[in-house]
Amino acid sequence: RKNTKRVPSFRKLLRTSQIKLDNKLKNKQFKQKSAAKKYRKEQKKLREAVRDAISRKPFPLEECKKKQVAKKWEEKEEEDALPLDMMDEDDLKLMEDLAQKASFLTRDLSSNEPVHVKKRKHESVIEKYEKVPRRLQTEPEKELIHLLPIKDKSGIIPQAVEKPVLNVAHDEEEDTEDMEEAEDFNEEPLPVLTPEEMAAQRRQKLQERKMHIAALASAILSEPDSNIKKLKELRAMLMEQDPNVAVIVRKLVMVSLMEIFKDIAPSYKIRPLTEAEKATKVKKETQKLREFEEGLVSQYKFYLENLEQTIKDWKQRKLKKSNVISLKAYKGLAEVAVKCLCELLVALPHFNFHNNIIVLIVPLMNDPSKMISELCVEAVKKLFKQDKLGYASLGVVKVISGLVRGRNYDVRPEVLKVFLHLRIKEVELQKDSEDIAPKKKFMTYKEKRKNLSRMQRKWKKAEEKLERELLEAEASESKEKKLKLHTETLNIVFVTYFRILKKAQKSPLLPAVLEGLAKFAHLINVEFFDDLLIVLHSLIESGDLSYRESLHCVLSAFHILSGQGDVLNIDPMKFYTHLYKTLFSLHAGGTNEDIGIVLQCLDVMFAKRRKQVSQQRALAFLKRLSILALHVLPNSSVGILATNRVFMQTFPRMDLLLDNESQGSGVYLPELDEPEHCNAQNTALWELHLLQRHYHPTVQKFASHLIAGAPTEGSGALPLDLSQRSATELFETYCMKGMTFNPPVASVTPRRKDTFSKMDSFVDEELNKQLQQHISETAAHKPLDFAKHLKESSLA
């Protein structure tokens, strides 16, 4: 008969109720418990039997057999005895009493216990004690090892073996001998290597480590998903213990891991999975991706912790217990760790733990080590320049502001100067928003009518309308987000600047603060303008500032007034006077670099505020700048003459200074510090004639151009490469920092030898004869008697 019972399908098993499954599980557990209970009972019985066997006196097996044979013999004798009916009544009664009192015929011979214990309760304790077998005190107690008992027809027979006594003294002697042999073995001298052999051995070890690092790195980069576990193996090499190659191997591993993370890190931030996401079933590809991301984040975190610990150990001058690396080598390791952190800061601003890297890098900008400080400053500058949206910049600015405040403004000026590289300008914001929301090209009416049907044109119109709305929403959202981030960043920057202006005016950070205010002054709220200008003027009047710092104050004030400050009724005449008064502080020495700031000030003060500047003020500055051009380096002269060109083209009647005849009353007073009252219209620009003979060709061109009246066309016009550049650009282009001519001076070709005339032509004929005669004579030279010639001349 065919078996109709089928194995339950998978679907049927899925439909099994939870109660039934729980009952099955309980039954299974109960069976296991009962089986375990039964096993424990059996073990307990076995232990009790062994314990009983131990308490009894053991008899050899041969004696038991002899007793059994004697027992059988007595039974035969009893059988041969007289029957009961033939015995007397007294003998029969005696036999019955004996049978009730003793049972030795049925007793187990291997037992040592007394018979009918219950019947003998009346026996005294002393008698009981006397019946216990005794052992002699002189005999040494032998320790027995109890074996498993033997069971035969007669019962359980215990087995025991004497424990062998170890000779402790002999073992101790053997141990001491072994120790001595080991010491002798250790005392054998190691083979002494020559320096060449040690270097070769070190090179071999280093090459092996390099090959291992390269193999692991190539495997990870080729298949990151499947070989993510090899990151742990590579990271373990950061703890290299061989003192000969430990430093180099650790440096190589640090750099290798940094490059690997830069390559395999995704372009998004990996977030941890929630409990619900972990519980849901996903595809194999998704699970593999999750495992890769989880392993990548964990190894990246451990790697950053290792770098941080290396820097901390170097800072605290700590040595590890192993003492594999010296304190001097820790400095090199710390420098490599800082380089890796700086690279990751710039390369992975979107990835996990970026804020942790910022917290590590920013305090190192103020490090006493110049190399580490410069590395961190350059990394932050790069981050600011490439950060378009502003998330990373905001994080760095927050940490810098906290650092400056926490150190009580005792930080290096370079820490604040990195604010100058922030990408916060209205022009860049508009440009970036246009890049983010490019204009989509839609079909024209003619193209639609030619290529589409009526219904398609209708659908296309609705689709284009929806796309326009989406593009506008996306652009406005991204622009608003960027403006919000930039506003928050600037607020923190200005708070830091204003704190220093209020609490630390004599701090070395003041130049950096003034420079930053000069750059971002057009973004300051109008409410702060009055107070800020008063503070800047008081700083200038205090006399505690250097010349460069006072120039930054002037530049900041005019940046404020050229932006939103146009609506304010503020007279900046005191700033014009200060700049005019201090122009002669510049020269060809150390202050030559400050001319770049002066050119920026002049551009803001005159070119961007030409309607608010009088003619007398412009003439006074034009004359003083021309005098200054004679006393500075060529690049400064070019920049000043380019500014004079702007003056002559921007303000009318500047050609008065090109005429010899005086205009109006009064005499020019060059020593007067008030530009409005120095009568500059009564002088001339005679300095241009001197500058026409300058050794620098570009200065000559500018001087000739200004003498001609700064024309835009004709023979006196400048070439395009000079006329289209600003004064600041020309100042930087013709810089002479390399102590070389810029542009280089053309080399002069040396004249040929045959073009020179002979030296004989310069010698008198009579003197030449005497020389030739003297050279041709081979006789001994006669001593010259100068006194003879003197006597002859006196007689004559």
Side-chain angles (χ1 to χ4, degrees):
R1 185 182 174 184
K2 188 177 180 181
N3 188 11
T4 57
K5 188 177 181 181
R6 295 182 181 178
V7 178
S9 63
F10 182 69
R11 292 180 179 273
K12 193 172 182 180
L13 288 173
L14 285 178
R15 289 198 296 270
T16 306
S17 66
Q18 188 65 33
I19 298 172
K20 193 171 182 180
L21 293 174
D22 292 342
N23 292 337
K24 284 184 178 181
L25 182 63
K26 288 179 181 177
N27 292 336
K28 188 177 180 181
Q29 291 175 352
F30 180 74
K31 287 179 181 179
Q32 290 176 354
K33 286 181 181 178
S34 57
K37 193 174 181 181
K38 188 177 179 181
Y39 176 75
R40 286 197 297 271
K41 284 184 178 180
E42 290 178 355
Q43 291 294 321
K44 188 177 179 182
K45 286 181 180 179
L46 185 59
R47 286 195 298 271
E48 288 177 356
V50 171
R51 201 180 299 118
D52 293 342
I54 291 169
S55 63
R56 296 167 188 164
K57 184 179 178 180
F59 286 94
L61 191 59
E62 295 178 358
E63 293 183 3
C64 291
K65 288 182 179 179
K66 288 180 182 179
K67 289 182 178 180
Q68 288 178 2
V69 172
K71 180 182 174 185
K72 290 178 181 179
W73 180 256
E74 289 175 357
E75 287 178 356
K76 285 182 180 181
E77 286 182 351
E78 287 179 359
E79 289 177 359
D80 294 339
L82 293 172
L84 295 176
D85 55 354
M86 295 177 67
M87 294 179 65
D88 296 334
E89 291 181 3
D90 297 333
D91 295 334
L92 184 60
K93 191 175 181 180
L94 180 61
M95 290 297 292
E96 287 177 359
D97 294 337
L98 290 172
Q100 291 176 0
K101 290 180 182 179
S103 60
F104 62 94
L105 297 175
T106 58
R107 180 183 168 192
D108 188 4
L109 297 176
S110 62
S111 176
N112 194 29
E113 293 180 356
V115 185
H116 300 297
V117 176
K118 293 181 181 179
K119 295 180 181 180
R120 297 184 180 181
K121 283 183 180 179
H122 60 277
E123 290 183 358
S124 63
V125 181
I126 298 173
E127 292 177 357
K128 209 172 187 180
Y129 179 75
E130 289 296 332
K131 290 179 180 180
V132 176
R134 293 173 173 78
R135 292 180 182 177
L136 296 175
Q137 294 293 334
T138 55
E139 294 180 4
E141 294 184 0
K142 295 182 179 179
E143 190 176 354
L144 298 177
I145 299 176
H146 300 286
L147 306 177
L148 291 175
I150 298 172
K151 187 176 181 182
D152 61 355
K153 292 179 182 180
S154 60
I156 296 173
I157 304 171
Q159 298 290 318
V161 178
E162 293 182 3
K163 186 175 182 180
V165 180
L166 297 175
N167 194 350
V168 181
H170 181 67
D171 292 342
E172 289 179 355
E173 289 177 1
E174 289 182 354
D175 292 341
T176 52
E177 290 177 0
D178 294 339
M179 291 290 291
E180 289 175 358
E181 291 177 0
E183 289 176 0
D184 295 339
F185 179 75
N186 291 332
E187 288 175 359
E188 290 181 3
L190 294 172
V192 180
L193 299 177
T194 61
E196 292 80 8
E197 292 175 348
M198 291 174 67
Q201 187 178 6
R202 182 177 177 275
R203 283 195 296 270
Q204 183 181 359
K205 287 182 181 179
L206 195 57
Q207 187 65 25
E208 291 175 359
R209 302 294 196 283
K210 285 181 180 179
M211 294 301 293
H212 188 48
I213 293 170
L216 289 174
S218 59
I220 294 167
L221 292 175
S222 60
E223 293 181 2
D225 297 343
S226 56
N227 293 328
I228 193 66
K229 292 183 179 179
K230 291 189 177 180
L231 270 176
K232 185 177 181 181
E233 185 179 352
L234 184 57
R235 189 176 58 80
M237 295 183 72
L238 284 172
M239 299 294 119
E240 176 65 42
Q241 298 299 321
D242 191 345
N244 293 327
V245 295
V247 178
I248 298 178
V249 170
R250 292 187 185 187
K251 288 181 181 179
L252 291 173
V253 174
M254 282 181 189
V255 177
S256 303
L257 282 170
M258 180 261 294
E259 294 294 339
I260 289 171
F261 283 122
K262 282 169 63 177
D263 286 342
I264 68 175
S267 58
Y268 53 87
K269 188 173 181 179
I270 299 172
R271 62 173 181 83
L273 298 175
T274 60
E275 294 298 329
E277 289 174 340
K278 291 179 180 178
T280 55
K281 292 184 178 180
V282 293
K283 296 180 180 178
K284 288 184 178 179
E285 293 80 6
T286 309
Q287 185 64 28
K288 190 175 181 181
L289 179 61
R290 286 183 177 180
E291 291 175 357
F292 165 72
E293 290 178 346
E294 187 178 355
L296 177 63
V297 170
S298 64
Q299 294 302 320
Y300 187 56
K301 178 185 175 184
F302 291 140
Y303 172 62
L304 293 178
E305 287 176 353
N306 287 334
L307 295 181
E308 181 185 8
Q309 192 60 44
T310 303
I311 297 170
K312 282 184 178 178
D313 291 343
W314 170 66
K315 281 287 188 186
Q316 299 171 0
R317 303 294 189 269
K318 276 188 178 180
L319 272 178
K320 297 293 183 183
K321 292 181 180 179
S322 56
N323 289 336
V324 176
I325 298 176
S326 62
L327 281 174
K328 290 183 180 179
Y330 254 107
K331 184 180 180 183
L333 276 177
E335 289 175 356
V336 175
V338 171
K339 286 180 183 178
C340 294
L341 285 172
C342 292
E343 288 288 333
L344 294 173
L345 178 77
V346 178
L348 303 176
H350 58 277
F351 199 55
N352 299 53
F353 309 112
H354 190 256
N355 290 334
N356 302 73
I357 299 176
I358 291 173
V359 173
L360 281 175
I361 290 294
V362 169
L364 293 175
M365 294 167 64
N366 194 40
D367 194 79
S369 175
K370 188 177 180 182
M371 180 181 178
I372 290 179
S373 176
E374 288 177 354
L375 280 173
C376 298
V377 168
E378 289 300 320
V380 173
K381 287 180 182 178
K382 287 181 184 178
L383 181 66
F384 283 162
K385 288 178 182 178
Q386 73 179 20
D387 184 25
K388 290 186 176 181
L389 194 57
Y391 281 114
S393 300
L394 178 60
V396 174
V397 168
K398 283 182 178 178
V399 179
I400 290 176
S401 178
L403 176 71
V404 173
R405 190 177 181 184
R407 298 281 179 89
N408 198 17
Y409 312 105
D410 185 17
V411 296
R412 301 177 65 177
E414 288 79 7
V415 178
L416 280 185
K417 284 184 179 179
V418 295
F419 287 162
L420 301 174
H421 299 272
L422 285 168
R423 294 188 60 179
I424 304 177
K425 291 181 180 178
E426 288 295 327
V427 177
E428 289 184 358
L429 285 174
Q430 292 176 1
K431 182 180 178 182
D432 290 342
S433 62
E434 291 171 3
D435 292 342
I436 293 171
K439 293 182 179 179
K440 186 177 175 64
K441 188 177 180 182
F442 297 104
M443 294 177 69
T444 61
Y445 179 75
K446 288 183 179 180
E447 290 175 349
K448 290 178 185 177
R449 194 172 182 82
K450 183 178 179 181
N451 300 323
L452 302 176
S453 64
R454 185 176 180 182
M455 186 60 67
Q456 287 176 337
R457 287 200 300 272
K458 188 176 181 181
W459 281 102
K460 191 72 176 176
K461 185 177 180 181
E463 184 182 347
E464 288 179 356
K465 184 179 179 183
L466 181 62
E467 286 181 359
R468 283 192 185 95
E469 291 177 356
L470 289 173
L471 285 172
E472 289 174 3
E474 183 182 354
S476 62
E477 182 185 358
S478 60
K479 187 176 180 181
E480 288 174 3
K481 189 186 296 183
K482 185 178 292 187
L483 284 172
K484 186 177 179 182
L485 288 170
H486 285 179
T487 305
E488 189 177 354
T489 305
L490 264 183
N491 286 339
I492 298 171
V493 171
F494 285 138
V495 165
T496 306
Y497 285 165
F498 294 157
R499 278 178 184 159
I500 295 172
L501 284 175
K502 184 178 179 181
K503 298 181 180 179
Q505 291 187 356
K506 295 184 179 181
S507 169
L509 299 177
L510 192 61
V513 171
L514 296 172
E515 198 171 348
L517 286 174
K519 180 172 182 178
F520 301 116
H522 62 285
L523 301 172
I524 301 175
N525 197 346
V526 184
E527 298 174 358
F528 301 108
F529 281 3
D530 287 334
D531 297 334
L532 193 55
L533 287 173
I534 292 170
V535 170
L536 292 176
H537 184 257
S538 63
L539 285 173
I540 292 173
E541 293 296 324
S542 65
D544 296 331
L545 302 181
S546 65
Y547 182 61
R548 189 181 185 89
E549 293 170 0
S550 65
L551 289 177
H552 281 305
C553 285
V554 173
L555 186 59
S556 303
F558 280 97
H559 270 301
I560 292 170
L561 295 174
S562 63
Q564 304 175 25
D566 288 337
V567 297
L568 300 175
N569 189 15
I570 298 174
D571 184 18
M573 185 61 199
K574 47 194 173 186
F575 294 105
Y576 281 101
T577 305
H578 174 74
L579 183 62
Y580 182 79
K581 181 171 59 176
T582 57
L583 275 178
F584 285 152
S585 300
L586 301 168
H587 50 77
T591 59
N592 186 72
E593 294 299 321
D594 297 336
I595 293 180
I597 306 172
V598 172
L599 296 176
Q600 295 178 31
C601 292
L602 292 170
D603 181 51
V604 180
M605 293 164 71
F606 290 93
K608 294 180 180 179
R609 292 176 57 86
R610 55 182 177 270
K611 293 182 180 180
Q612 288 89 357
V613 179
S614 63
Q615 182 182 357
Q616 294 292 331
R617 195 181 303 173
L619 288 171
F621 270 93
L622 181 60
K623 174 63 178 176
R624 184 156 284 199
L625 287 173
S626 300
I627 298 172
L628 181 63
L630 296 171
H631 306 287
V632 292
L633 292 179
N635 62 329
S636 302
S637 299
V638 171
I640 290 170
L641 292 177
T643 304
N644 288 349
R645 176 175 177 268
V646 174
F647 274 56
M648 297 182 73
Q649 292 178 348
T650 304
F651 296 98
R653 301 193 66 185
M654 288 292 107
D655 54 350
L656 290 174
L657 300 181
L658 299 177
D659 192 1
N660 291 333
E661 296 180 2
S662 61
Q663 299 288 331
S665 60
V667 181
Y668 174 60
L669 303 173
E671 71 280 358
L672 194 65
D673 293 335
E674 292 293 335
E676 297 283 350
H677 309 292
C678 65
N679 300 323
Q681 73 277 5
N682 296 324
T683 184
L685 296 178
W686 53 266
E687 295 87 4
L688 296 178
H689 291 280
L690 293 176
L691 291 171
Q692 264 188 318
R693 301 178 183 180
H694 199 278
Y695 67 88
H696 200 279
T698 310
V699 177
Q700 294 176 12
K701 290 179 184 178
F702 267 99
S704 302
H705 172 69
L706 292 177
I707 286 175
T712 56
E713 296 177 352
S715 59
L718 283 174
L720 289 177
D721 60 332
L722 296 177
S723 62
Q724 293 180 352
R725 293 185 185 181
S726 65
T728 309
E729 290 178 1
L730 290 169
F731 172 75
E732 294 175 355
T733 302
Y734 292 100
C735 181
M736 299 174 66
K737 285 184 178 178
M739 298 301 293
T740 56
F741 289 104
N742 189 7
V745 179
S747 59
V748 180
T749 55
R751 300 179 66 181
R752 295 174 61 185
K753 289 184 179 180
D754 54 1
T755 59
F756 285 99
S757 58
K758 293 183 179 180
M759 292 298 294
D760 297 345
S761 60
F762 297 101
V763 182
D764 187 37
E765 291 182 2
E766 189 174 347
L767 181 60
N768 190 19
K769 288 179 181 179
Q770 292 180 5
L771 288 172
Q772 293 295 334
Q773 183 181 0
H774 182 73
I775 293 170
S776 60
E777 285 179 358
T778 57
H781 295 286
K782 296 179 181 180
L784 296 175
D785 190 0
F786 294 100
K788 178 182 176 182
H789 295 286
L790 290 173
K791 290 177 183 178
E792 291 177 356
S793 60
S794 62
L795 291 173

